[in-house]
Amino acid sequence: MKLKIEELEWSVWLLIIIPLCGITFYLWGIATALLLSLLLVPIILVVKNELIKRQFSWKPSYSVGVAIFDDEHKKLFALILQMHRALKHMPSKEEARAVLIELKKYTESHFSQEEAMMEKHGYPDIEKHKMEHKEMISKVQEFQKDFESNDVAVSKETLRYLQNWLTHHILVTDKKYSDFFQSKGER
Ligand code: FEO
């Protein structure tokens, strides 16, 4: 499995920071070691946050060529990022639940809009596409179950699955309708 810097726990960072400060102390003294430790923590925080933001963000290469769907995909990524942060920083269960409900509602609404446009224009691959949407909805429901059972570790794993699923679905399945919708005048 690929090691991701942004996913390293603070206990792992401490195993790196402490020996590093120890070496600095040995070579350059206490003042430099203290300065290094004070600088490293905020730097790690900023880098971790930036990497997580990038990982959970929509990118121009994800564009499906139809503005309304690109906007909805952006919103879906934003909601998954919000959920990720909610799980990480442990706000009240109610706050996290509100994000989850919005994620579920927004996902369903987005899928309905895509399917409606497919039906309107007679998109040939509609049934296969709908099956993938169903799979995502059931995964969101599973995520809701994990969340309500208070199993944060499982929730984080399911959330990662949702993010990967969404990226793959947009890049592979949604991209397939791009030329078709554009040929029907949808932009
Ligand atoms: Fe954009 Fe098919 O979901």
Side-chain angles (χ1 to χ4, degrees), residues 83-99:
M83 200 62 223
H84 175 86
R85 285 185 171 148
L87 286 177
K88 199 161 180 63
H89 303 298
M90 303 285 174
S92 72
K93 188 112 184 167
E94 276 315 306
E95 283 174 72
R97 186 178 285 119
V99 182

Side-chain angles (χ1 to χ4, degrees), residues 64 69-70 72-73 76 107 110-111 114-115 118 129-130 132-133 136 165-166 169-170 173-175 177:
V64 292
F69 295 148
D70 280 344
E72 289 176 359
H73 290 153
L76 283 174
T107 306
H110 167 64
F111 289 168
E114 270 187 0
E115 288 170 15
M118 288 174 194
H129 203 119
K130 275 181 166 177
E132 284 200 23
H133 285 170
M136 171 72 161
W165 187 95
L166 182 63
H169 180 75
I170 292 172
T173 313
D174 283 356
K175 282 265 191 188
Y177 65 52

